[in-house]
Amino acid sequence: MGFFNQTEVVDILGDKAKAKKEFSFIKLFLLGILGGAFIGLGFLACIRGSGTVPAGWGSYGTLIGACLFPIGLIGIVLVGGELATGNMMTMMIGALQKKISFMDLIYNWVVVMLGNMAGGILVAYLWGHVAGMTEGAFLEKTLSIANARAGDAPLAAFISAVGCNIFVCMAVWLSTSARDFVGKLLGAWFPIMIFAVVGFQHVVANAFVIPAAIFSGESDVTWGAFFINMVVVFLGNAVGGALVFGLPCYLMYGRKARTDAKEAASKITKTA
């Protein structure tokens, strides 16, 4: 099971950021919808797997759901799709490497996030509400998660979101570093499982579960509260992905690559 080293991963992510910059609005938005739908379907599996677990099982129900949830990111990594939270690291590294501009970064984050929201809400409505998969026997679980996410104070939601995107970006980093299918699958699975067990706030996951609760007609959460949660958690995820994870990785490994390249160029010049 081969893998790329840290310096190579930084370069790969920077090149990915440069490639994403060239996507048309339609392509970027549609890939964002696909990514949001994958995360929503993963959360749906989480609710269906843990929603009716007996109370006596304690946190084992949470663990079961968390083991199913990573299929969302696995789908994005291996099938395709754009995820705003992963791009918070990828585009940041690309900007720091000067492969894209910071305006490119903001544009990507906004367009992909809008697509992710559309995908998550679509899954919540069609499969959660119309097909009833987050209602009935599973409604209590859906409401419990949604009310907890929307009910957090802004500061608590923000800090939780920072922690969340450390794990999401770790998953993107590990899956990028892997050279084969199994390595990419495991790299995406473990960190996402951990953040789901802990219960961190993830803006794209919230774009599924909170609307699913609202569509049921049984939740006290309003659309206004949903959009406030989206803004606060998006900002927390951005800090976690871009500043807490992406920036240190660039400083540790990206600058080394640039220094090595300059030294190599200098040697070639001297030899010539």
Side-chain angles (χ1 to χ4, degrees):
M1 189 182 294
F3 61 91
F4 297 104
N5 64 39
Q6 293 95 328
T7 301
E8 290 172 319
V9 172
V10 169
D11 282 340
I12 291 169
L13 291 172
D15 289 341
K16 284 187 175 183
K18 186 176 180 180
K20 292 173 191 286
K21 171 190 171 182
E22 303 301 324
F23 290 174
S24 67
F25 172 83
I26 295 297
K27 180 176 181 178
L28 194 61
F29 185 70
L30 290 177
L31 286 172
I33 292 176
L34 185 64
F38 278 153
I39 297 298
L41 291 169
F43 212 147
L44 178 60
C46 171
I47 290 172
R48 298 289 293 189
S50 64
T52 56
V53 169
W57 286 27
S59 60
Y60 284 109
T62 301
L63 179 61
I64 292 170
C67 288
L68 300 173
F69 181 72
I71 187 61
L73 184 64
I74 291 170
I76 292 170
V77 169
L78 297 177
V79 179
E82 288 289 307
L83 183 65
T85 46
N87 284 2
M88 289 168 179
M89 170 191 65
T90 301
M91 302 305 286
M92 182 64 169
I93 288 175
L96 291 170
Q97 290 182 321
K98 303 188 185 310
K99 293 179 178 179
I100 64 169
S101 70
F102 278 96
M103 285 304 298
D104 294 326
L105 175 150
I106 296 298
Y107 174 80
N108 179 278
W109 288 3
V110 171
V111 174
V112 173
M113 186 64 239
L114 291 174
N116 288 166
M117 286 180 63
I121 293 172
L122 190 65
V123 172
Y125 182 74
L126 292 178
W127 285 279
H129 179 60
V130 176
M133 293 182 179
T134 55
E135 299 176 12
F138 301 92
L139 181 59
E140 183 179 355
K141 185 69 173 180
T142 304
L143 294 178
S144 173
I145 297 172
N147 292 340
R149 300 288 173 88
D152 269 355
L155 180 59
F158 179 86
I159 293 173
S160 175
V162 172
C164 172
N165 220 21
I166 293 172
F167 282 102
V168 174
C169 292
M170 184 188 301
V172 173
W173 180 283
L174 293 177
S175 61
T176 301
S177 70
R179 292 177 180 268
D180 56 29
F181 176 87
V182 174
K184 289 182 180 296
L185 189 151
L186 294 176
W189 187 76
F190 274 102
I192 300 302
M193 180 197 72
I194 297 301
F195 110 62
V197 166
V198 174
F200 282 135
Q201 295 247 19
H202 184 261
V203 66
V204 183
N206 288 4
F208 162 78
V209 73
I210 297 177
I214 295 173
F215 288 138
S216 75
E218 301 294 330
S219 176
D220 294 329
V221 179
T222 64
W223 285 108
F226 165 68
F227 285 113
I228 290 172
N229 177 271
M230 288 290 97
V231 172
V232 172
V233 176
F234 177 89
L235 293 174
N237 287 162
V239 170
L243 300 181
V244 179
F245 197 97
L247 177 59
C249 287
Y250 168 76
L251 293 176
M252 287 186 293
Y253 309 120
R255 283 188 168 184
K256 180 180 182 301
R258 293 176 64 185
T259 301
D260 291 346
K262 287 181 180 179
E263 289 178 353
S266 177
K267 290 177 180 179
I268 291 172
T269 303
K270 289 178 181 178
T271 301

